[in-house]
Amino acid sequence: QKEVEQDPGPLSVPEGAIVSLNCTYSNSAFQYFMWYRQYSRKGPELLMYTYSSGNKEDGRFTAQVDKSSKYISLFIRDSQPSDSATYLCATSVYGGSQGNLIFGKGTKLSVKP
Amino acid sequence: NAGVTQTPKFQVLKTGQSMTLQCAQDMNHNSMYWYRQDPGMGLRLIYYSASEGTTDKGEVPNGYNVSRLNKREFSLRLESAAPSQTSVYFCASSGLAGGRTDTQYFGPGTRLTVL
């Protein structure tokens, strides 16, 4: 079993919809969680990060971590066509000395006007 | 700040040819990384350098070598390219001196095709 599992999609939603993207992980030592957004033919860019369980909000984006279920989510409110991209979850052990991240394979999202 | 820059953006090689991918960062980060991204496989770590002067293997190091030239620059070399190395290669960097090293910032990528 891969350490981080992510449904690859693709996921297609109409403009204005609420989007839910999810990952599960297997290693309870992971404590640092991130979401990256990757536009077509571009490098991944950091979107959200959190160190612990609970919610973190940034504009239309909310990252949620449930350590008891080993489940991480990204919610996008009022989705826009500009949100169309691949979203990758990533995690690592808190304070990892090498800075190594474990990535999910990414979910491709398309927001239709 | 340019962030993380990579050259070249595109490259086509013939089997057996060699080449070096260049990466530089201007964020004063200690750690640098090389990944490859293939359809259905996600991002896979090739090599990383936790600090200037050190390098370590990642998940898929075979067929590659790296050099941490200085704090800013980290190069990836393919000595004898194979079609299986056709991929998109990303360089990343993370951390500040004495700070957390988990947040990685990526370059724009190099699209490599080996014929």
Side-chain angles (χ1 to χ4, degrees):
Chain A
Q1 180 191 7
K2 194 165 166 51
E3 288 190 284
V4 177
E5 298 284 354
Q6 183 174 10
D7 187 337
L11 182 63
S12 182
V13 301
E15 183 175 355
I18 296 174
V19 176
S20 173
L21 303 168
N22 308 295
C23 290
T24 58
Y25 63 94
S26 57
N27 188 344
S28 59
F30 292 147
Q31 296 193 49
Y32 191 73
F33 305 95
M34 278 157 283
W35 285 95
Y36 282 82
R37 178 175 62 193
Q38 186 176 21
Y39 291 115
S40 181
R41 305 180 82 84
K42 301 289 186 183
E45 58 177 335
L46 184 64
L47 189 61
M48 299 281 286
Y49 69 90
T50 182
Y51 299 116
S52 61
S53 283
N55 293 356
K56 182 175 182 178
E57 191 172 317
D58 184 1
R60 296 184 295 110
F61 298 89
T62 299
Q64 186 176 81
V65 177
D66 181 349
K67 285 188 175 180
S68 62
S69 303
K70 298 189 180 67
Y71 200 81
I72 53 180
S73 301
L74 178 70
F75 298 98
I76 306 174
R77 291 186 300 279
D78 187 25
S79 57
Q80 302 295 309
S82 59
D83 295 327
S84 297
T86 296
Y87 291 80
L88 301 100
C89 61
T91 182
S92 72
V93 175
Y94 179 77
S97 61
Q98 308 304 329
N100 288 341
L101 296 181
I102 307 298
F103 285 89
K105 292 183 179 180
T107 300
K108 188 172 184 177
L109 171 68
S110 177
V111 181
K112 303 295 186 185
Chain B
N1 284 353
V4 180
T5 57
Q6 293 182 236
T7 56
K9 287 186 170 54
F10 304 93
Q11 185 71 48
V12 178
L13 292 178
K14 294 181 179 178
T15 297
Q17 287 186 317
S18 62
M19 79 160 296
T20 300
L21 281 65
Q22 306 287 354
C23 174
Q25 52 92 8
D26 62 2
M27 295 176 281
N28 198 35
H29 284 167
N30 286 327
S31 301
M32 297 184 74
Y33 313 83
W34 276 106
Y35 291 90
R36 60 179 289 173
Q37 188 175 40
D38 303 290
M41 300 297 292
L43 282 163
R44 293 184 291 171
L45 184 65
I46 304 171
Y47 270 94
Y48 64 96
S49 171
S51 62
E52 187 178 354
T54 68
T55 60
D56 284 285
K57 295 178 180 179
E59 181 184 354
V60 288
N62 291 345
Y64 305 95
N65 285 301
V66 291
S67 295
R68 184 74 183 267
L69 304 172
N70 48 55
K71 190 172 184 179
R72 290 187 64 249
E73 298 172 289
F74 189 37
S75 64
L76 178 72
R77 182 160 178 84
L78 286 70
E79 291 290 353
S80 179
S84 60
Q85 294 178 305
T86 294
S87 188
V88 182
Y89 291 85
F90 289 102
C91 177
S93 70
S94 70
L96 295 172
R100 195 182 312 283
T101 60
D102 292 284
T103 306
Q104 294 186 17
Y105 297 88
F106 285 79
T110 294
R111 292 182 174 275
L112 175 67
T113 301
V114 183
L115 302 175

